[in-house]
Each structure stands twice: as C-alpha cells, then as structure tokens.
C-alpha cells in the first residue's frame, strides 16, 4: 500500500465562494504546518479542529484560509487528513494546491482518496462506488438509492448471502474430511433448500437492476404525436416546471441530443425538441420508419393525441409503434371542445392492434390521461402514472436494495450461474465436492461486489473513473 501524502482540489473548477484543497497521508500535518501561518502551530493541534489563518508560499501570502484538521483513523481515507478552505476562484485554488505540492504532497490521481478509504478498510467496494453515484445522481431516486448503498445496504445483503454459502461449504469440507463423525447422508436435500432460497434473493437483486437503471440513468423517452398535437408545448411545460434544476446540470444543454426532464423524482431523457420536430417531418414525409428507430431503444413512448381533431392515419401509425412498448397516452387540448374521447381512442387501439402482426400478445390497456398543455392540467396525474409504471409505486430505500451498477449485476449473474450448477449437481446426485467447487465460485463472484476478491488492476480501473479530488 502506498504511504505517500496526496493532495487535490476537491471542489469544482469554477469561480465560486469557497474552494477546498484536500491533503491525505502520513505527512499531511507536516505539509500544512510548513505553509500555514496563524495563531496555533498545526503540528500539535488537536484532531477535528478548525483554524483560521493564511497560506504562505515562502514570504508571499497566497490566501486567507480555514484549515480543518482530522487525524487518522477517524477520517474519510483513514489517514491523517487536512482540508484547506480557501477562496473559490479558479486561480487562487490552484495556487494553494501548488503550494501544498511544493511542500511535500504529490498530486492525487482521480478517485485516489476514495481508493485509499477502500484499501484502508473504511468502506467496501460497493460503498466506494456509491460515493461516485451520489456525486453524479441526477434525481431524487438516484440519490436515495446511492445513499442506501453508501450506508452499506448492498454490502450487508451480499455478506449475508456469502455467509450462508461459506457455512455450507465449510460443512461439506469438514464432513468429507471427517466422515466418521459427520454424517452427510440426506444433506443434499437440505443444501438444495438453502440454495433455492439464496437464488431467490439473488434474482431479486438482479431484477431490481431494471428499476436501478431507470433511477440512475433515466427513462429513455420518445414523444410522438402528429404535427400540432402539442408535443413542444408539453415539453415546455414539463421542462419549465423544474427549469432551475434542469438548466443547472451540465450536459443538459441544447447541444445534447436529449433533453432531460425531471418528473416525480424520475429523469426522462427525451429526444431533443429539435429532433422531435424533425420526427414530425419524417412522419409526414417518410412515414414512420425513422420514428421506429427512436422507438426501438425507448423505455417509454408518450403519445400526445390531439383531442380537438379527429384521429387520422398519423395517429394509427403512432399507435402501431406503441405495440409491445410501455406507453402513456396524453389526450391533449382538453380545454377545447374535444372530439376524441377515451372510448374512441380505445376502439382505434383495438382495431390497429388487431391488424398488426403479433400485437395480440401485448396488452391493449394503455393508460390515458386528459391533459391541457396550455393550461397545465393533468400533469400531476401523468406524474403518478409514470411512477406506478416504472417504480411500481412502491420504492423504498430502507429494506429494498437496488442494483444500479453493471459490474455488480454481472457478478450477481455469475453467482446465479454457479448456484444453478450446484442445484444441477444435487439433482444428478453428484458427489458433494462438486457442489463445493461451484459454491466457492459463487462465493468469489459475490465477493467481487464488496471488493474482497478482486485484483489490483480492477480496483485501479474502477477508481480511475472517479472525479479528481474524490
Ligand atoms: P407540436 O407540433 O406537436 O409540437 O405542437 P405545438 O406544441 O407546437 O402546438 C401546436 C399548437 O397547438 C400551438 O398553437 C399550441 O399553442 C396549441 N396547443 C398546444 N397544446 C394546447 C392545449 O392544451 N390547448 C390548446 N387550446 N392549444 C394547445
């Protein structure tokens, strides 16, 4: 394990009120002592105290600062840690870091503080990964799910399963070593019950990754509807509702392909309005071929129907696109005299589905909501349906664990496969040591989630994706 002292700017590189330079490692206190001038000598100062003073580079005053001192092991990294709160200007923070580096610290690699926290046993790998998830979370559910993981809920769940597995393996090994005292007859039956239970738990975790992905990355959404149905108006209403949040986030600007909309704690990744207008043209000029492309990868289709004009071929084409997809129909312009009712729409759906190949396999029960984009009516109901549809309305972060991480999901799938082999061996009445090998494989796969059974290369790769200063 490396024992040098690292430093980095931990706050964002924009001009702001405060910037933080973090130092961690055995010489953190020596480094700050060399550059800090104030009332106290920091080398002797007590842990978890804050000190007001100046950072000096030789004789020159770099900035007026507050210095936070935290001695190991009660720190994020588990090492002596110093945080310098300075002014948050781009230049001044860099100057403070430069001074720190010149006086004995080395620049940290991305994610190195968290990596040290992991290597020093302050957290397991699933918690370390949650740190970056908290930082990048885009909505309330993503945040809550990451916080739950950060608190150790995934670790606890995985450790619990691993303990059950190791207990069985230990029993088999001991019994095989000492057949005179331990009777293994009838054990296979018992083992099968235990493994079946474990498989239920693991499959539940794997299944949770659908909701997990939706929470973390958002719902891939295509908005469809004939020209002038009110799609742009609806998008304006939806994005306007939480404009402050939407525009504050980097990557949600106009040059992105998608527009992110926050609704009911979820994120909808909508194809950009410009793209959608283009889709209108395409529907007019080239039929629905292009729209089909968008729809293929979508989690959700929002079909905006114009309730003030009779349904036409365009509407039928769009209904055809919704076959086999999650869809919500918004009957827009409910403030006007309407000619399209839910009954008429339902009849059209049945007719279109009847004509469409394979459509018989899918539900024609598509939720419909009367809305008015103009008067902002019906949006609340839309939000409720969205939540029910994607989170089954019963998200809770206290007992349920959601897998949002592809690496963790793959490890769970591997474990599942190994345990299925155990069941197979039992059913084929294979000798117990066969079971023991596959049980250990499952144990190893699960251990990679908490980081107990992974190599240095993978650890390095995981942390290299972190941001600087974390
Ligand atoms: P798009 O082509 O589907 O994007 O439709 P727009 O959002 O551009 O809307 C087309 C027209 O319908 C505009 O004149 C809107 O003002 C109007 N419109 C949209 N939604 C409503 C609504 O709920 N009620 C009424 N009365 N007019 C609407």
């Amino acid at each position: 394990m490396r024992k040098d002292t690292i430093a980095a700017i931990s706050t964002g590189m924009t001009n702001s009120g405060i910037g933080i330079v973090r130092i961690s490692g055995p010489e953190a206190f020596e480094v700050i002592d060399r550059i800090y001038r104030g009332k106290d000598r920091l080398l002797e100062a007590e842990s978890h105290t804050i000190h007001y003073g100046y950072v000096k580079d030789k004789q020159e005053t770099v900035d007026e600062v507050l210095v936070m001192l935290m001695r190991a092991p009660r720190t994020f990294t588990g090492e002596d840690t110093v945080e310098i709160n300075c002014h948050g200007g781009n230049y001044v923070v860099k100057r403070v870091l430069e001074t720190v580096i010149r006086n004995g610290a080395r620049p940290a690699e991305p994610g190195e503080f968290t990596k040290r926290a992991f290597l020093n046993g302050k957290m397991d790998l699933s918690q370390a990964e949650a740190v970056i998830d908290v930082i990048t979370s885009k909505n309330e559910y993503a945040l809550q799910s990451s916080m739950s993981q950060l608190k150790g809920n995934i670790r606890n769940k995985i450790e619990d399963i691993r303990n059950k597995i190791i207990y069985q393996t230990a029993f088999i090994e001991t019994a095989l070593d000492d057949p005179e005292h331990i009777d293994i007859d009838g054990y296979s039956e018992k083992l099968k019950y235990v493994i079946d239970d474990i498989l239920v738990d693991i499959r539940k975790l794997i299944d949770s990754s659908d909701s997990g992905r939706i929470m973390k990355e958002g719902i891939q959404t295509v908005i469809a509807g004939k020209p002038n149905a009110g799609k742009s108006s609806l998008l304006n209403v939806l994005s306007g509702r939480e404009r402050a949040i939407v525009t504050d986030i980097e990557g949600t600007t106009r040059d992105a392909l998608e527009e992110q909309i926050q609704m009911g704690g979820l994120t909808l990744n909508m194809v950009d309005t410009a793209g959608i207008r283009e889709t209108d043209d395409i529907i007019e000029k080239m039929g629905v071929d292009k729209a089909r492309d968008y729809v293929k990868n979508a989690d959700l289709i929002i079909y905006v129907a114009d309730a003030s004009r009779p349904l036409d071929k365009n509407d039928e084409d769009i209904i055809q696109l919704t076959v086999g997809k999650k869809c919500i129909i918004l009957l827009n312009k409910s403030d006007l005299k309407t000619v399209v009712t839910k009954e008429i729409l339902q009849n059209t759906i049945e007719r279109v589905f009847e004509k469409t190949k394979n459509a018989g396999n899918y539900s024609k029960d598509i939720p419909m909501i009367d809305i008015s984009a103009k008067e902002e009516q019906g949006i609340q109901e839309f939000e409720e349906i969205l939540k029910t549809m994607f989170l089954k309305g019963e998200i809770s972060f206290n007992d349920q664990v959601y897998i949002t991480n592809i690496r963790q999901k793959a490890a769970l799938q591997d474990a599942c496969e190994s345990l299925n082999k155990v069941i197979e061996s039992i059913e084929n009445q294979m000798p117990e040591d066969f079971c023991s090998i596959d049980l250990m494989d499952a144990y190893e796969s699960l251990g990679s989630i908490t980081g107990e059974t992974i190599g240095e290369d993978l650890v390095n790769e995981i942390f290299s994706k972190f941001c600087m200063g974390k």
Side-chain angles (χ1 to χ4, degrees):
M1 197 180 303
R2 282 192 152 122
K3 281 287 174 206
D4 52 358
T5 297
I6 54 172
I9 297 166
S10 285
T11 37
M13 289 305 287
T14 51
N15 287 342
S16 55
I18 292 171
I20 297 178
V21 172
R22 174 148 63 171
I23 315 170
S24 175
E27 284 192 39
F29 281 64
E30 278 85 352
V31 172
I32 190 66
D33 192 61
R34 282 177 206 134
I35 61 174
Y36 169 87
R37 296 292 170 271
K39 203 153 71 61
D40 312 307
R41 273 301 294 280
L42 298 190
L43 211 49
E44 288 109 38
E46 269 184 53
S47 183
H48 292 78
T49 52
I50 301 174
H51 305 264
Y52 168 79
Y54 295 90
V55 163
K56 295 252 183 185
D57 190 1
K58 300 195 187 95
Q59 291 314 307
E60 184 193 338
T61 303
V62 179
D63 197 11
E64 182 187 27
V65 298
L66 280 178
V67 177
M68 213 180 292
L69 302 179
M70 291 161 280
R71 288 189 196 274
R74 272 201 309 136
T75 66
F76 177 71
T77 56
E79 304 170 337
D80 281 348
T81 301
V82 172
E83 287 185 10
I84 307 173
N85 281 234
C86 55
H87 288 99
N90 239 330
Y91 184 75
V92 62
V93 188
K94 274 193 204 154
R95 277 287 283 124
V96 172
L97 177 64
E98 220 174 76
T99 313
V100 167
I101 302 287
R102 248 204 297 269
N103 283 275
R106 128 178 111 68
E109 290 157 23
E112 198 172 0
F113 293 97
T114 317
K115 181 169 147 188
R116 287 187 171 201
F118 165 63
L119 294 175
N120 289 329
K122 299 295 287 188
M123 53 177 68
D124 80 310
L125 196 55
S126 75
Q127 287 171 301
E129 287 180 314
V131 170
I132 197 70
D133 288 346
V134 167
I135 292 174
T136 55
S137 57
K138 292 187 276 216
N139 59 53
E140 192 58 28
Y141 286 117
L143 176 61
Q144 289 301 322
S145 158
S146 310
M147 279 311 295
S148 155
Q149 186 172 332
L150 187 59
K151 283 186 201 156
N153 283 349
I154 288 187
R155 181 200 57 206
N156 294 345
K157 188 92 206 165
I158 296 298
E159 276 180 358
D160 185 40
I161 297 175
R162 286 185 93 214
N163 284 341
K164 285 183 191 157
I165 293 177
I166 202 74
Y167 179 85
Q168 301 303 326
T169 322
F171 182 83
I172 295 175
E173 299 292 332
T174 323
L176 292 176
D177 278 352
D178 189 7
E180 280 167 32
H181 294 99
I182 303 173
D183 183 10
I184 205 159
D185 272 357
Y187 167 74
S188 292
E189 284 302 301
K190 252 195 265 167
L191 178 63
K192 187 169 177 301
Y193 280 124
V194 176
I195 302 298
D196 278 339
D197 272 357
I198 294 178
L199 275 169
V200 169
D201 276 353
I202 294 185
R203 290 204 187 101
K204 215 156 103 187
L205 286 174
I206 294 173
D207 289 345
S208 80
S209 68
D210 280 343
S211 298
R213 179 181 67 85
I214 296 281
M215 280 188 250
K216 187 175 174 182
E217 290 166 17
I219 302 166
Q220 290 303 334
T221 309
V222 168
I223 184 163
K226 64 187 171 196
N228 282 328
K231 299 178 293 295
S232 316
S233 310
L234 176 71
L235 276 176
N236 283 343
V237 172
L238 298 182
S239 57
R241 276 154 42 95
E242 296 187 43
R243 186 161 284 148
I245 294 176
V246 173
T247 51
D248 274 347
I249 302 167
E250 220 175 294
T252 58
T253 45
R254 287 273 141 185
D255 55 350
L257 255 177
E258 293 173 342
E259 178 162 15
Q260 288 193 339
I261 287 171
Q262 309 290 330
M263 250 193 123
L266 285 162
T267 304
L268 298 184
N269 300 322
M270 298 252 197
V271 180
D272 186 76
T273 6
I276 290 153
R277 282 207 194 91
E278 206 176 85
T279 317
D280 289 346
D281 288 345
I282 286 158
I283 288 175
E284 279 176 316
K285 288 183 201 146
M286 296 169 19
V288 285
D289 284 357
K290 190 73 189 172
R292 215 182 289 278
D293 275 354
Y294 283 115
V295 164
K296 213 185 302 169
N297 299 319
D299 298 311
L300 171 70
I301 299 167
I302 297 174
Y303 163 30
V304 182
D306 186 340
S308 71
R309 286 182 290 155
L311 297 177
D312 58 21
K313 175 79 170 49
N314 262 326
D315 290 288
E316 294 190 9
D317 287 344
I318 293 165
I319 290 170
Q320 206 166 32
L321 281 181
T322 68
V323 169
K325 283 275 169 186
K326 281 195 170 124
C327 177
I328 299 177
I329 300 178
L330 303 176
L331 272 152
N332 191 29
K333 309 198 187 179
S334 62
D335 56 295
L336 297 178
K337 195 169 160 321
T338 58
V339 294
V340 182
T341 61
K342 287 182 181 172
E343 288 71 32
I344 292 176
L345 201 45
Q346 189 61 41
N347 288 337
T348 312
I349 290 171
E350 313 239 333
R351 197 155 38 77
V352 171
F353 269 51
E354 235 158 65
K355 280 195 302 195
T356 309
K357 218 174 116 214
N358 291 333
N361 302 333
Y362 298 104
S363 165
K364 299 181 212 48
D365 205 6
I366 304 174
M368 297 182 203
I369 311 160
D370 290 314
I371 68 155
S372 163
K374 190 176 169 200
E375 303 197 340
E376 304 192 13
Q377 294 294 317
I379 310 292
Q380 184 76 33
E381 197 185 336
F382 176 26
E383 193 172 297
E384 290 307 320
I385 292 205
L386 196 67
K387 278 203 273 187
T388 316
M389 194 174 254
F390 284 93
L391 304 172
K392 317 225 165 25
E394 51 187 34
I395 282 279
S396 87
F397 295 94
N398 297 328
D399 42 8
Q400 170 73 311
V401 168
Y402 292 89
I403 297 294
T404 59
N405 181 304
I406 297 170
R407 190 188 72 82
Q408 293 170 2
K409 184 181 176 185
L412 287 164
Q413 282 165 330
D414 288 347
C416 210
E417 220 167 273
S418 302
L419 293 176
N420 279 328
K421 282 191 197 152
V422 176
I423 300 277
E424 220 172 276
S425 303
I426 295 174
E427 282 167 356
N428 294 330
Q429 299 181 339
M430 304 292 272
E432 278 76 10
D433 38 1
F434 272 80
C435 297
S436 163
I437 293 169
D438 291 322
L439 281 171
M440 277 323 282
D441 281 348
Y443 185 76
E444 288 266 319
S445 299
L446 293 171
S448 74
I449 295 176
T450 49
E452 269 161 75
T453 55
I454 64 168
E456 197 183 330
D457 287 354
L458 191 55
V459 170
N460 288 341
E461 192 193 316
I462 289 169
F463 287 102
S464 68
K465 294 192 190 108
F466 273 50
C467 42
M468 206 39 135
K470 191 63 224 176

